[in-house]
């Protein structure tokens, strides 16, 4: 399979840089897949499951927060607030974050506060889905 260079960067670390066979990111209108030779584009990333395959390895799943993906001249750059491996996710903390966000959404908030709580809930739910799938299947 053909490969392409990928840079997966979060706000506080370089998550992965190197060759990649495939990449799937959560976008506003659904899952966005990338293979070698993809045309140049820029797209927004929403909280969800980011999966990528390094040559010779199994697909890796991560939880990603909001961000952006840029594809230019055969290289892919993903910039996100956070990218976490399933084993890095604290399930209890994510459950508390989800509960706090739900509670905040029930309060009579201004539009900005409501949208912020909604985004917090999306991030927490994404983390929980990735962590629980990993725990059930022992996936890496």
């Amino acid at each position: 399979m053909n490969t392409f260079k990928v840079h997966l960067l979060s706000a506080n670390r370089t998550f992965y840089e190197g060759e990649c066979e495939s990449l799937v990111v959560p976008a506003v209108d659904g899952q966005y897949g990338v293979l070698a030779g993809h045309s140049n584009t820029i797209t927004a990333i929403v909280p969800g499951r980011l999966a990528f395959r390094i040559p010779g390895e199994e697909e890796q799943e991560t939880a990603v927060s909001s961000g952006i993906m840029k594809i230019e001249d055969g290289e892919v750059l993903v910039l996100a607030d956070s990218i976490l491996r399933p084993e890095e996710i604290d399930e209890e903390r994510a459950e508390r974050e989800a509960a706090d966000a739900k509670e905040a959404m029930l309060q009579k908030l201004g539009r900005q506060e409501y949208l912020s709580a909604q985004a917090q809930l999306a991030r927490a739910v994404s983390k929980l889905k990735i962590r629980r799938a990993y725990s059930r299947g022992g996936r890496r």
Side-chain angles (χ1 to χ4, degrees), residues 61 86 89 91-92 94-96 98 124-139:
E61 291 185 342
I89 298 168
E91 190 170 349
E92 289 179 16
E95 287 173 348
R96 285 192 308 274
V125 168
S126 168
K127 289 178 190 177
L128 287 169
K129 283 181 181 178
I130 297 297
R131 178 65 192 169
R132 289 175 178 160
Y134 174 80
S135 295
R136 280 191 306 271
R139 299 172 83 173

Side-chain angles (χ1 to χ4, degrees), residues 21 29 35 89 113 116 123:
E21 292 180 345
D29 54 354
L35 296 172
I89 298 168
E113 291 86 2
S116 177
R123 287 188 302 271

Side-chain angles (χ1 to χ4, degrees), residues 29-57:
D29 54 354
Q31 297 293 307
Y32 196 103
V34 179
L35 296 172
H38 197 288
S39 60
N40 293 348
T41 192
I42 295 176
T43 192
I45 296 173
V46 298
R49 173 188 172 269
L50 179 148
F52 64 103
R53 183 180 306 276
I54 297 171
E57 295 187 18

Side-chain angles (χ1 to χ4, degrees), residues 2-58:
N2 292 335
T3 64
F4 55 94
K5 182 82 170 173
V6 69
H7 308 270
L8 303 177
L9 309 175
S10 70
N12 61 351
R13 67 178 171 166
T14 299
F15 186 83
Y16 174 76
E17 287 188 307
E19 292 302 309
C20 186
E21 292 180 345
S22 64
L23 172 70
V24 178
V25 299
V28 175
D29 54 354
Q31 297 293 307
Y32 196 103
V34 179
L35 296 172
H38 197 288
S39 60
N40 293 348
T41 192
I42 295 176
T43 192
I45 296 173
V46 298
R49 173 188 172 269
L50 179 148
F52 64 103
R53 183 180 306 276
I54 297 171
E57 295 187 18
E58 289 185 26

